Amino acid sequence: MTWDDGTPYVEELAAGVHAYVQPDGGWMVNNCGVVVDGAGTAVLVDTTSTERRNRAVLAEVAKVSTGAPRALVNTHHHPDHTYGNGFLPAETLVIGHDKCREMVLTAGLEATRVITAPDYGDLTLRPPEITFPDRMTLHLADFPVELHHVGGPAHTTNDVLVWLPEQKVLFSGDLAFNGGQPFVLEGSISGFRRAVAQMQELEPEVLAPGHGPVCRGDDVARLLADMDAYLAYVEDVAAASYAAGLSPLEAAQKNRDNPYSTWAETERFVGNLHRAYSELAGNPIDTRLTVPSVWPDMVTFHGGPIACHA
């Protein structure tokens, strides 16, 4: 199966390394990963949003590994990447950044009250049990798996890159969206751009984004350059619109026709402008802006209810 088939599929990225890719990559429809060593031991990268989708992921993991996964790495706290944590057995250790645990507990199941369309099933909130501040390395039987916190707020405060240096494979979490607009509301524009630069410095040969199809070869560099260009565009629109006294929604509406208007989830443009305005106002870079607080503006810009196909 491929992205165009519209159904989830497993794609091999290197020997023992797979992405579980979920079209259409929209709200609550993310990608996961599994890394398996020669002994059959599995490390998972993220879970997903609903019970049905998580059980499908775990069924695929069982086909390529032996026994319960040793660990699960959450690339950040967002619900589409963490709501499935509770479906893992107790012996599977959940790992994330220090602030990932904090934010999973703070947000709780809030997203189910904002994006109400999916049947989430029987969710159990499970934050990371092992946390780290900067870097951690998981040593599997044959190779290391490096976890890199990217620093200050980017997509969120707690974004982690999962990097396989021997295979040159990168699981980016939501520091890369392929085909959709990135979401910066709970992070920062400048921090996201620094994170993109960090990914570029790694020079991955294969990149599994948090949403959208896998990239390989020259397409990796293209995607990262496009991400940075989009973020620079948001900065430029925000600076001009803030100076003109426009609200984030008015700024988005004025600039509706832009080089990125064909990317999916265009309503995120409004949320991203809210974040840029907060930075222009001189608020601390880690000032928390919540999805419920800006969702009405996003719905207005979208022109009606925002679809979720989870």
Side-chain angles (χ1 to χ4, degrees):
M1 289 183 285
T2 68
W3 180 263
D4 293 333
D5 292 329
T7 55
Y9 60 95
V10 176
E11 181 171 344
E12 186 174 55
L13 311 182
V17 183
H18 301 83
Y20 184 86
V21 183
Q22 297 196 97
D24 61 0
W27 294 101
M28 291 290 182
V29 185
N30 66 309
N31 298 332
C32 307
V34 57
V35 180
V36 184
D37 66 15
T41 301
V43 172
L44 307 187
V45 180
D46 284 332
T47 53
T48 187
S49 56
T50 70
E51 179 174 0
R52 177 180 62 83
R53 287 180 178 270
N54 277 292
R55 295 202 182 283
V57 172
L58 295 179
E60 294 298 329
V61 170
K63 294 177 183 178
V64 297
S65 62
T66 302
R70 177 174 295 175
L72 160 68
V73 179
N74 286 145
T75 60
H76 62 292
H77 75 278
H78 280 165
D80 48 336
H81 298 259
T82 61
Y83 272 4
N85 291 5
F87 296 106
L88 273 295
E91 59 263 40
T92 300
L93 297 173
V94 182
I95 301 170
H97 185 261
D98 293 339
K99 291 182 179 178
C100 181
R101 176 179 174 84
E102 173 188 331
M103 291 305 299
V104 167
L105 292 170
T106 297
L109 298 178
E110 175 184 75
T112 65
R113 297 183 288 276
V114 178
I115 302 177
T116 57
D119 177 1
Y120 288 97
D122 187 15
L123 300 180
T124 300
L125 197 69
R126 184 180 176 185
E129 293 116 8
I130 295 178
T131 64
F132 63 97
D134 182 24
R135 292 198 176 188
M136 175 182 283
T137 301
L138 308 179
H139 295 279
L140 301 186
D142 312 306
F143 52 84
V145 178
E146 296 179 3
L147 313 180
H148 299 193
H149 178 234
V150 298
H155 172 61
T156 69
T157 61
N158 52 92
D159 300 294
V160 169
L161 299 172
V162 180
W163 172 236
L164 281 69
E166 294 185 8
Q167 296 89 342
K168 303 287 285 184
V169 172
L170 179 65
F171 291 94
S172 69
D174 283 359
L175 293 170
F177 289 72
N178 188 8
Q181 295 204 12
F183 200 36
V184 197
L185 180 71
E186 294 186 304
S188 77
I189 304 290
S190 58
F192 209 132
R193 295 190 72 183
R194 287 193 296 272
V196 170
Q198 290 180 45
M199 292 188 286
Q200 290 170 324
E201 289 172 5
L202 291 173
E203 297 183 341
E205 295 177 1
V206 183
L207 187 153
H211 298 258
V214 168
C215 291
R216 300 173 185 269
D218 292 343
D219 285 341
V220 176
R222 174 198 54 77
L223 174 63
L224 295 177
D226 286 350
M227 293 282 295
D228 188 62
Y230 171 86
L231 294 163
Y233 176 76
V234 172
E235 284 184 320
D236 290 344
V237 169
S241 302
Y242 185 82
L246 301 178
S247 70
L249 176 58
E250 290 168 337
Q253 290 170 329
K254 180 180 178 181
N255 295 277
R256 180 181 293 274
D257 295 326
N258 62 66
Y260 308 97
S261 60
T262 60
W263 291 12
E265 288 77 55
T266 56
E267 64 274 359
R268 291 177 183 160
F269 187 32
V270 185
N272 296 340
L273 287 168
H274 272 276
R275 170 54 62 185
Y277 269 46
S278 178
E279 295 176 24
L280 288 167
N283 295 324
I285 197 167
D286 58 353
T287 297
R288 186 166 184 247
L289 302 180
T290 66
V291 175
S293 69
V294 304
W295 195 258
D297 275 2
M298 293 167 65
V299 170
T300 298
F301 182 77
H302 183 74
I306 297 169
C308 173
H309 302 121

